[in-house]
Amino acid sequence: GENVEQHPSTLSVQEGDSAVIKCTYSDSASNYFPWYKQELGKGPQLIIDIRSNVGEKKDQRIAVTLNKTAKHFSLHITETQPEDSAVYFCAAGMYSSASKIIFGSGTRLSIRP
Amino acid sequence: NAGVTQTPKFRILKIGQSMTLQCTQDMNHNYMYWYRQDPGMGLKLIYYSVGAGITDKGEVPNGYNVSRSTTEDFPLRLELAAPSQTSVYFCASRDRKGDRDMNTEAFFGQGTRLTVV
């Protein structure tokens, strides 16, 4: 089955700097890679997703890149702001199957003022 | 907009007790899921359902049971609570894209923090 590894587990960056979170997956059949943000006391919320027919996707200050050959994908947050402080989860699964999706272990991002 | 609603928000159980975590969604989503979240371990899938009357095991189903008698509700049952079941539990739902089983955004509830002592 699919296995997703996420690094780092914690990340602290200065406000205004960029943050990068990396994930690797094991199942070469996976072709759907969402990222979720979890704020304190809340459930995770989708912030961006990418399918394997695309190498990069951007939405304002966040972007995700995918390297299918190496089976890794990354989340990039530029010009970080205090509201970016949260736990971020990557996940991998099949776009053609909404039955289940496997999550990484999470990255706690802290933005220093 | 209610979305996905979980009850209770917090619960303390004694070892061997049983309880049901409730989850209901008002978005008419076909797919529903139960996850547990342990510190540093991310989200692990316990059970999922692709529609009323259909359930299947996820990564960590032992010690749990589910049912899906309606589209809206997907309760999670713990029969004999154990300390290893201390965790935060999240229910989620996902829409189905037309007639095709395509992955879409999952909507999560706010979680139930369960402590077994």
Side-chain angles (χ1 to χ4, degrees), chain B residues 11-21 63-64 76-83 85 89 114-117:
Chain B
R11 183 73 185 269
I12 298 175
L13 276 183
K14 292 184 179 179
I15 295 171
Q17 284 186 321
S18 62
M19 78 163 293
T20 299
L21 282 66
Y64 307 94
L76 178 71
R77 179 85 177 160
L78 283 71
E79 290 294 349
L80 291 170
Q85 294 177 305
Y89 291 84
L114 176 66
T115 303
V116 182
V117 297

Side-chain angles (χ1 to χ4, degrees), chain A residues 17-66:
Chain A
D17 287 351
S18 296
V20 180
I21 303 170
K22 298 182 179 181
C23 290
T24 60
Y25 61 100
S26 61
D27 189 349
S28 57
S30 289
N31 58 10
Y32 176 67
F33 308 94
W35 286 87
Y36 284 80
K37 175 183 180 182
Q38 184 180 23
E39 297 177 342
L40 194 62
K42 297 183 179 181
Q45 188 170 11
L46 181 73
I47 54 172
I48 194 167
D49 57 11
I50 190 170
R51 295 173 61 183
S52 62
N53 59 350
V54 176
E56 183 174 358
K57 185 175 178 181
K58 191 173 181 181
D59 183 3
Q60 299 182 339
R61 295 187 298 107
I62 60 173
V64 57
T65 59
L66 172 65

